[in-house]
Amino acid sequence: DRVRIAAALAASLTDLPGVGSVEVRCRGELWSVPPAAGPSIVERRSASTVYAIERTETEYDPLVLVDGARTEMVTGFDSASVGALQTLTVAGDGEVLAGLDADRRVVVVRRDEEPGTVAADDSGGVAPAFDTTGRLWFAVGAPDGGEGAGDTIASASGVGAVASVEAPWLADEDLLAVAPAPDAVRMLVISQEDTGVVRARLAAVERDPWGVPVALGAPILIATLAGPPVGVAWVDQVTVALLAPEAGTLTPQVLIAGGLTTQWRTPSGAGDLVGIAAGPTVSDLVIVTETGDVFARIGARWEPRATGVRVVAYPA
């Protein structure tokens, strides 16, 4: 109950300018939501543009902004470092990018700095994700360098040291994805048991007195998936969009914290899907196909937005 109350209260605080936290007494214990020492949430740079990395190798900057049917080149980032990213996550101010390279390393690329820096040598294949405070969340793979998914969650803020985040309930499971919620106090974790069962669960982020994440609280089951997802993105405080298998095909799905799951058909003739990104509403949802086509969700249909793209992401 405490986790659910904290999450709901923290989400409501984001709509109150100048209010950073509220003290609540629960069963005789006084606690602050969000923690008074926690970092502040940064405002998204834009709700209407999505960042994308172009598919083809070029001498030009491969990073572009897709705004409606228009694309605009983004400069200031090291082209080689950006072009090597196989996944993409963007800090809220648009000044820092991160993703996995072909060697499954977590690479961070900052504007006006070159080249990108390596935050983790082996992510276990789990894509990193920025939260709305600018902290980067990622996984650290097994020490033996095996092909299994990542098994340890970590985070880093700015150029600071990497902090391990305890989640004992993941000890016997393979970590597949981490996705920090917009309120920065909850984490969606997708993992797979040895039996093959894939679960999406929500857990509170526990911090030390300085606001550094140290652990994930007891999880709440949101959904059981038919298989590992390819992409996961928060839409708003209670809605998550993902690409997950359904009847053997990757399908856009929307999960509502509380139990409701909605599945959407893919665009006619679009082929296989390889990526998904979500803005602040379901209307800002975009998907990218294996052939590099970007589609946006407009009402009850998908409309083409761009071509020649291999990965997409909204600012956190």
Side-chain angles (χ1 to χ4, degrees):
D1 289 340
R2 171 174 170 167
V3 172
R4 282 191 284 266
I5 293 172
L9 183 54
S12 67
L13 290 178
T14 63
D15 297 326
L16 298 176
V19 179
S21 64
V22 172
E23 289 188 345
V24 177
R25 186 171 297 278
C26 180
R27 296 180 181 176
E29 180 183 357
L30 189 66
W31 44 282
S32 181
V33 182
S40 60
I41 294 175
V42 294
E43 185 177 353
R44 282 184 170 182
R45 184 183 184 189
S46 173
S48 61
T49 54
V50 59
Y51 286 70
I53 298 177
E54 296 181 321
R55 286 167 53 88
T56 57
E57 293 185 5
T58 172
E59 60 181 296
Y60 305 106
D61 294 298
L63 187 69
V64 296
L65 290 179
V66 179
D67 188 355
R70 180 178 64 90
T71 59
E72 176 185 344
M73 186 183 300
V74 179
T75 61
F77 293 96
D78 180 57
S79 298
S81 298
V82 173
L85 298 179
Q86 306 298 304
T87 68
L88 179 64
T89 181
V90 183
D93 59 5
E95 295 297 307
V96 188
L97 316 174
L100 300 181
D101 66 8
D103 297 321
R104 306 194 311 177
R105 300 180 304 173
V106 177
V107 178
V108 178
V109 186
R110 296 176 177 84
R111 189 185 294 272
D112 299 326
E113 292 185 19
E114 57 178 335
T117 57
V118 176
D121 288 323
D122 186 0
S123 67
V126 178
F130 280 108
D131 66 17
T132 48
T133 72
R135 177 171 288 274
L136 183 66
W137 293 79
F138 51 92
V140 179
D144 60 6
E147 293 299 322
D151 61 357
T152 302
I153 298 176
S155 70
S157 179
V159 295
V162 173
S164 296
V165 180
E166 296 183 1
W169 42 275
L170 282 172
D172 298 323
E173 303 178 19
D174 284 334
L175 179 64
L176 301 179
V178 291
D183 57 24
V185 301
R186 297 170 296 155
M187 179 69 63
L188 181 72
V189 177
I190 300 180
S191 60
Q192 186 172 30
E193 297 181 351
D194 292 338
T195 59
V197 176
V198 178
R199 290 190 173 93
R201 290 176 287 188
L202 197 60
V205 177
E206 300 177 358
R207 302 176 184 269
D208 66 15
W210 297 273
V212 178
V214 294
L216 296 183
I220 299 172
L221 180 65
I222 300 299
T224 299
L225 306 178
V230 168
V232 181
W234 281 85
V235 178
D236 55 32
Q237 302 290 358
V238 296
T239 311
V240 178
L242 49 79
L243 285 181
E246 184 63 32
T249 302
L250 285 174
T251 305
Q253 301 182 23
V254 175
L255 307 180
I256 305 296
L260 180 63
T261 301
T262 301
Q263 298 172 358
W264 287 332
R265 291 184 178 181
T266 58
S268 178
D272 294 335
L273 303 181
V274 296
I276 190 168
T281 70
V282 174
S283 298
D284 297 302
L285 194 66
V286 296
I287 54 176
V288 60
T289 70
E290 190 175 33
T291 56
D293 297 318
V294 176
F295 291 85
R297 186 73 177 180
I298 306 297
R301 67 184 186 278
W302 295 100
E303 289 191 356
R305 281 291 180 263
T307 59
V309 166
R310 59 181 171 84
V311 62
V312 292
Y314 276 95

